[in-house]
Amino acid sequence: MSALSDSETVMEKANVTLKNGSCDDPDQDDQDENDALARALDAQKSASFYTDAAAYWDKVPPTVNGMLGGFAHISSADISGSDLYLRGIFKMKNPPGHGRAVDCGAGIGRITKYLLQKHFGKVDLVEQCQNFIDRAKENFKGSKKIGEFICLGLQHFNPEPNTYDVIWCQWVLGHLTDDDLESFFIRMGKGLKPNGVIIVKENVTSSGEVELDEQDSSVTRCEQLLLEIIERTGMKVLRNTKQPNFPKGLYEVKMMCLKPKQSLN
């Protein structure tokens, strides 16, 4: 993770600002959006962007409900949607293998336990919070499917070349600055096996803007910005799908399958 556990809080923040009891002032709405964007950009420039997030997650209990920001009830639908999506990836032309995957921002290993270990021979877990790593080690004690436990923020994670069939990144990339996210995708591309892919599963805003969560020190990007960052890193989006069956009132969640363009030649 990059100071994020398994997931940041997924409830969408209100985007309406009231003025004199009304919410229909377009000029005020535009100003509010500009202010929100400026705060999100400024936060990423601050040295405390990462340390504040780490401090937040250090206080979160190592439970499924803690990982999901109080939304443990969506876990089953989340895993079902991911499983269906991953099975579709394995049916593509030149699909990834089932050898080794890595769970980025693994938390206590919810995704590894209920999804990844069912599809791969080995799964590594990358997680910044030592408390979560310790709980994950307890959860998977004796498991032959678990490879390494790597206590590290994603801004520092640099896998060896030709290591992974699938790199799974879910509800964690909002804890990377835009620049660090670009660098992350480039490093992950080098860490893939020839048919390997990166799976991104992230919230996207409905406002079309970048939204800052000051509580856990993260940003939620609009889909357009996320796709622009991916494009700049030389990645191609092979599949872009919406997570189904989530309750109303949550952010839209998109699942994207990425592959380095050079590997498609």
Side-chain angles (χ1 to χ4, degrees):
M1 101 178 188
S2 172
L4 178 63
S5 65
D6 189 353
S7 166
E8 64 177 308
T9 303
V10 294
M11 179 63 75
E12 181 152 21
K13 306 163 195 68
N15 236 356
V16 177
T17 300
L18 299 180
K19 182 179 181 181
N20 297 326
S22 172
C23 61
D24 57 1
D25 186 331
D27 292 335
Q28 183 64 40
D29 288 346
D30 288 344
Q31 183 60 50
D32 291 337
E33 288 184 0
N34 290 335
D35 290 346
L37 177 59
R39 288 196 300 273
L41 293 175
D42 288 344
Q44 293 185 60
K45 297 176 184 178
S46 172
S48 66
F49 184 70
Y50 288 116
T51 57
D52 287 352
Y56 171 84
W57 287 104
D58 278 342
K59 299 176 182 177
V60 171
T63 63
V64 170
N65 201 45
M67 301 301 94
L68 292 175
F71 291 86
H73 59 282
I74 71 168
S75 184
S76 179
D78 167 56
I79 295 297
S80 294
S82 296
D83 185 72
L84 182 63
Y85 183 79
L86 187 55
R87 290 179 186 275
I89 298 302
F90 286 130
K91 293 179 181 179
M92 296 190 310
K93 182 180 179 181
N94 299 320
H98 293 266
R100 196 177 197 97
V102 60
D103 185 353
C104 293
I108 62 173
R110 180 185 68 94
I111 296 169
T112 293
K113 179 178 180 179
Y114 296 109
L115 177 71
L116 298 180
Q117 70 172 356
K118 296 181 179 180
H119 292 278
F120 299 94
K122 288 288 183 182
V123 183
D124 296 335
L125 289 79
V126 181
E127 168 56 53
Q128 179 168 287
C129 183
Q130 185 63 55
N131 189 31
F132 297 162
I133 285 283
D134 292 341
R135 180 57 59 88
K137 288 180 178 178
E138 294 177 11
N139 292 343
F140 293 107
K141 188 175 182 179
S143 174
K144 296 181 180 180
K145 287 292 191 80
I146 304 303
E148 296 183 69
F149 294 94
I150 304 168
C151 190
L152 197 65
L154 293 188
Q155 69 271 27
H156 303 301
F157 179 48
N158 189 17
E160 291 294 322
N162 195 36
T163 299
Y164 294 113
D165 295 288
V166 168
I167 296 175
W168 191 276
C169 312
Q170 180 170 345
W171 287 328
V172 64
L173 301 183
H175 279 283
L176 292 177
T177 66
D178 290 353
D179 289 343
D180 282 345
L181 181 56
E182 285 192 39
S183 298
F184 173 77
F185 281 139
I186 292 171
R187 295 195 308 274
M188 295 310 104
K190 295 177 181 178
L192 292 173
K193 293 180 180 180
N195 288 330
V197 297
I198 301 168
I199 305 294
V200 170
K201 187 168 185 178
E202 288 289 335
N203 297 338
V204 294
T205 65
S206 60
S207 65
E209 302 293 338
V210 179
E211 298 178 7
L212 172 67
D213 186 331
E214 294 180 350
Q215 183 181 27
D216 70 0
S217 189
S218 69
V219 294
T220 302
R221 298 176 174 91
C222 61
E223 184 174 356
Q224 179 181 353
L225 176 58
L226 185 56
L227 290 172
E228 288 175 358
I229 291 173
I230 291 169
E231 175 68 23
R232 291 199 295 266
T233 63
M235 293 285 172
K236 181 177 178 61
V237 179
L238 301 181
R239 292 194 178 190
N240 185 351
T241 304
K242 179 181 177 180
Q243 161 70 37
N245 302 321
F246 269 8
K248 293 181 179 179
L250 302 185
Y251 277 119
E252 181 175 271
V253 176
K254 301 303 291 284
M255 296 179 282
M256 302 179 186
C257 178
L258 318 180
K259 198 169 188 177
K261 291 180 181 179
Q262 63 183 17
S263 70
L264 297 172
N265 297 332

